Amino acid sequence: MFPNRLSSRLTLTALRWTAVSRTCPPSCLSTLSNCFLQNQTARSKDGFHSESAVLRRLLCSQSRFMLRPRETQSRSFSLSGANVVNSAPAHVQPYLRLMRLDKPIGTWLLYLPCTWSIALAAEPGCLPDVGMLALFGTGALLMRGAGCTINDMWDKDFDKQVARTACRPIASGEISRMQALVFLGGQLSLALCVLLCLNYYSIALGASSLSLVITYPLMKRITYWPQLILGFTFNWGALLGWAAVKGSCDWSVCLPLYCSGVMWTLVYDTIYAHQDKEDDVKVGVKSTALMFQERTKLWLSGFTAAMLSGLVVAGVNAEQTLPYYAALSAVAVHLARQIYTVDINKAEDCWKQFSSNRNLGLLLFFGIVAGNLLKESKEI
């Protein structure tokens, strides 16, 4: 018991010093973080509950400061998500971090299948409806925030034990579960306002996805395929976008597009899951990364082939033209390079490859737009 007490007090003293001095280098901060997480259980048994809370708050405060870009520390401003969050009032920042406004890649990955569907549904020779794109962008931001809030409410105890997630607002104690629930209600209410701007078919279709949003975070406790459930959830916009423009789904286009999106999610989220595989084993949660292990690249290649096949079918049924298939070829090259070069045992590289999928999704969107514009000239 004495070594645990000593370790706790030394870590607490060090973190108090770094919180004041702000001079702790990243390597030192990493060591303190590991010391903190490894001694969580021991401190609970020895009655160090108050010190544990102080440690977590100090560690998270110092981590956020160290991770801020230099320009943020010098009080200049840019439109990056992290800078927007760091420039917000202190009492608002935990809520913005809870909805992951500082990490917008998730919002992009939720939004992009919507843009594909909206662009495919546009009239031949016309650009996609800008107002509809903006409406879905707002909805994606709100629903991604709501999904993250639900996820963190479910995973509070797990997040405390994982180095990458220990500083999330609910896990660190900055926001209580009740405060998170009220915030969730606000996000869902605003998302409902967005949904009500659509036609009745789309309202019913959009509302039916809520069960996936709520249950997805539980899947990692039950199955090694939570990434598949995330795919079903994140790509609902591939159905909803077309329905919002046309009034109902054309399943010959929407279904292969949706299935392609699900396959895409299996690719990028399996890569993402490799960041946490060691911690996942310790806390007892499941993922495709743990199931595939060293066979990951083979599985990802299969998902990629299925994704590309579905996009070809969707393109043929939507009567797409050459620019679409040129973009599809570029998407194939991007995915092949992503899978071939990713180091699944290096968390930094997994994050880099995962984040690159925003560019992949935008590439496909612009290919759809260009292919649709060419339809008119071919008819003339």
Side-chain angles (χ1 to χ4, degrees):
M1 183 174 86
F2 178 74
N4 288 331
R5 286 177 178 270
L6 181 60
S7 176
S8 293
R9 293 187 185 281
L10 286 174
T11 308
L12 179 58
T13 301
L15 280 168
R16 279 174 173 158
W17 180 80
T18 57
V20 174
S21 67
R22 304 293 194 189
T23 59
C24 176
S27 59
C28 170
L29 187 59
S30 176
T31 302
L32 291 172
S33 174
N34 290 335
C35 179
F36 164 63
L37 291 170
Q38 290 169 3
N39 285 281
Q40 278 286 84
T41 304
R43 280 198 301 277
S44 296
K45 292 179 180 178
D46 293 342
F48 278 79
H49 296 287
S50 61
E51 293 195 358
S52 174
V54 173
L55 278 166
R56 187 181 294 111
R57 289 179 185 276
L58 286 173
L59 174 61
C60 293
S61 173
Q62 180 68 3
S63 298
R64 288 193 296 275
F65 181 84
M66 292 299 299
L67 291 172
R68 289 180 187 177
R70 292 183 180 273
E71 61 269 21
T72 303
Q73 295 182 32
S74 62
R75 294 184 181 279
S76 63
F77 181 77
S78 76
L79 286 178
S80 71
N83 285 342
V84 169
V85 171
N86 290 331
S87 300
H91 67 280
V92 175
Q93 289 185 24
Y95 292 95
L96 300 181
R97 285 187 287 106
L98 179 60
M99 65 184 298
R100 308 287 198 275
L101 195 63
D102 55 333
K103 296 177 180 177
I105 180 61
T107 302
W108 277 108
L109 295 175
L110 178 61
Y111 177 53
L112 284 165
C114 307
T115 68
W116 303 344
S117 189
I118 292 169
L120 282 170
E123 292 298 319
C126 297
L127 292 169
D129 186 331
V130 176
M132 197 65 73
L133 289 172
L135 197 64
F136 272 73
T138 304
L141 180 67
L142 291 167
M143 286 307 298
R144 194 260 178 142
C148 290
T149 303
I150 294 170
N151 182 80
D152 289 6
M153 290 172 69
W154 282 120
D155 287 355
K156 177 182 178 180
D157 295 332
F158 286 154
D159 287 346
K160 289 178 182 178
Q161 303 175 59
V162 178
R164 188 177 61 82
T165 60
C167 290
R168 287 179 175 174
I170 298 177
S172 65
E174 292 179 275
I175 295 176
S176 69
R177 275 196 171 120
M178 181 54 66
Q179 289 173 317
L181 184 61
V182 173
F183 184 55
L184 173 62
Q187 292 175 93
L188 291 177
S189 296
L190 290 174
L192 177 61
C193 292
V194 172
L195 187 62
L196 292 175
C197 296
L198 306 180
N199 55 62
Y200 290 124
Y201 184 98
S202 300
I203 292 171
L205 184 63
S208 64
S209 69
L210 191 59
S211 60
L212 287 170
V213 175
I214 294 171
T215 58
Y216 156 69
L218 296 174
M219 293 299 107
K220 68 187 77 171
R221 298 161 170 81
I222 300 170
T223 176
Y224 280 99
W225 290 90
Q227 281 69 32
L228 180 61
I229 309 304
L230 180 67
F232 293 151
T233 308
F234 253 50
N235 293 281
W236 205 256
L239 307 177
L240 191 57
W242 183 286
V245 175
K246 296 289 193 180
S248 63
C249 286
D250 179 347
W251 295 106
S252 69
V253 176
C254 294
L255 190 57
L257 183 67
Y258 177 67
C259 292
S260 294
V262 173
M263 294 299 106
W264 182 43
T265 302
L266 280 167
V267 172
Y268 67 66
D269 206 55
T270 297
I271 292 173
Y272 180 88
H274 272 283
Q275 295 179 101
D276 298 329
K277 55 190 174 185
E278 293 180 3
D279 288 322
D280 287 348
V281 170
K282 292 176 184 177
V283 301
V285 300
K286 302 174 175 68
S287 71
T288 49
L290 292 178
M291 185 172 68
F292 300 158
Q293 298 184 13
E294 296 306 315
R295 297 174 298 156
T296 290
K297 293 191 177 185
L298 180 62
W299 278 92
L300 297 187
S301 299
F303 297 145
T304 296
M307 173 190 175
L308 295 172
S309 299
L311 290 174
V312 168
V313 173
V316 170
N317 291 335
E319 300 181 347
Q320 271 292 329
T321 57
L322 182 60
Y324 172 82
Y325 297 103
L328 206 54
S329 299
V331 165
V333 171
H334 188 292
L335 283 168
R337 181 181 179 278
Q338 190 180 144
I339 294 168
Y340 180 75
T341 61
V342 66
D343 185 345
I344 59 174
N345 296 311
K346 186 181 293 184
E348 296 83 359
D349 193 51
C350 289
W351 175 259
K352 178 183 175 182
Q353 300 296 342
F354 165 75
S355 300
S356 73
N357 282 279
R358 182 198 67 170
N359 296 336
L360 183 153
L362 287 171
L363 180 62
L364 181 58
F365 169 69
F366 289 122
I368 295 171
V369 172
N372 202 56
L373 288 174
L374 194 61
K375 287 182 183 179
E376 184 178 46
S377 62
K378 287 187 73 173
E379 289 174 2
I380 292 174

